[in-house]
Amino acid sequence: MAKSRDTRRVVRRATAVALAGLTALAVAMGIGRFAFTPILPMMQEDAGLSVAGGGWLASANYLGYLLGAISATAMRVRAATAIRGGLVVIGIVTLAMGLEHRFAAWVVLRALAGIGSAWVLVFASAWCLERLAPVRRPLLNGVVFAGVGAGIAVAGGSCLVLMQASASSAQAWIGLGALALVGTAAVWRAFGADADAGTNEGRHPTTRGHQWDADSVRLVLCYGAFGFGYIVPATFLPVMARRLVHDPSVFGWSWPVFGAAALVSPLAAAVWARRLGHRRLWMLSHLVMALGVAFPIVWPVIGGVMIAALLVGGTFMVITLAGMQEARAVAGPRATGLMAAMTSAFGIGQIVGPMSVSSMVDPTADFSKPLLVACVLLVASAGALVAGPPRAQPPR
């Protein structure tokens, strides 16, 4: 009886950890990273922002994300402190986007949001996975990474409602900034000052202890290819949809569909990973994402864009979860350094993606060329993952 009570207590604590991680990633990624995607058509409408200007703002955010990931490899700070700081930064700068109207200021604010997002993703992923590993409940890992899809779905749904109510892009930024601060307050105590006690990840979030080899480099490069491969649709899906259908009650659904797929897929991936292994799941997800990226090219109608939202959104967080788990398999308790290196490569891919859009997209806003490049990179990186050494199957 006592053992049963202890087991239930452990499961309750693990569930609380997973829900805290879900909320943190919802704020960091759904708002800090991806609020710009559903707001971009609104900014085109009321602020006169061009596709090229949108590409530069997206690149600023992704540059900040890269700088945040790089700094995470060297920061000697408790994970809980970095998570809290990142969440506060995201809430404040998102609010400021609605109060500022100069393009240069927007660039700085989006870069700061990217830094905060990277801190939260790197440290919250390591913080949660470290605590959930002894419980051996893969579904809880999926719950943590479902937070990204939950945040995207909430941000996209909020913007859909605001567009139908003829609200301005500034009002959208202010509303999502306030929502980010509410989410931060909700998990503040979960990431308390004593939250790092007794864990390796909380005390030493550095790369020391991990021996770099060809396989580690392969993971970093493939994760970087993933960053480029998904970012073009993840940044411009609503713009692609708006180009085909001008009614916001139609094109506005592209981003909530993306988010809903990203919300559900990590939960299913927890089951698939036990059967396939993390690396094989990662490889297959690259191929499915490549198919989704190709759909708007071969079927340039609103249905093709929606299928792209479903397939790219449905694999985006599966790859993130599988990649982070594979990093733990390769680097063990010192996985934070490898995770940060992978996130840095991911950030480089994200910066190059929107910049390529600025140079490849013509005045008619045809995204075929950057989508084709993204598709090729995803297929090539899937082949590289197949060539890598197989990892042992996760324990059942």
Side-chain angles (χ1 to χ4, degrees), residues 304-330:
V305 173
M306 292 299 180
I307 292 174
L310 187 64
L311 295 182
V312 177
T315 50
F316 161 50
M317 285 316 300
V318 174
I319 295 172
T320 303
L321 176 57
M324 294 298 105
Q325 291 283 32
E326 187 66 13
R328 282 189 57 80
V330 170

Side-chain angles (χ1 to χ4, degrees), residues 99-240:
L99 303 175
E100 182 56 67
H101 303 287
R102 292 170 296 176
F103 184 82
W106 287 344
V107 170
V108 174
L109 292 171
R110 292 308 294 153
L112 290 173
I115 292 172
S117 298
W119 287 352
V120 176
L121 179 67
V122 171
F123 286 101
S125 298
W127 188 89
C128 292
L129 292 176
E130 176 77 6
R131 285 157 179 75
L132 295 176
V135 183
R136 294 181 179 273
R137 300 213 173 192
L139 184 61
L140 292 178
N141 295 335
V143 169
V144 172
F145 288 93
V148 177
I152 290 172
V154 169
S158 299
C159 289
L160 177 61
V161 172
L162 290 170
M163 282 189 289
Q164 291 178 327
S166 299
S168 67
S169 58
Q171 291 172 317
W173 283 116
I174 292 171
L176 291 179
L179 186 60
L181 292 175
V182 169
T184 299
V187 297
W188 192 263
R189 291 186 63 186
F191 300 110
D194 61 342
D196 292 319
T199 67
N200 292 327
E201 294 291 354
R203 286 195 296 269
H204 301 290
T206 72
T207 58
R208 290 188 295 175
H210 171 58
Q211 298 296 320
W212 284 89
D213 56 17
D215 193 36
S216 298
V217 173
R218 178 184 293 108
L219 297 188
V220 170
L221 293 177
C222 289
Y223 210 69
F226 159 50
F228 185 100
Y230 97 98
I231 199 59
V232 176
T235 302
F236 295 104
L237 265 176
V239 175
M240 295 181 206

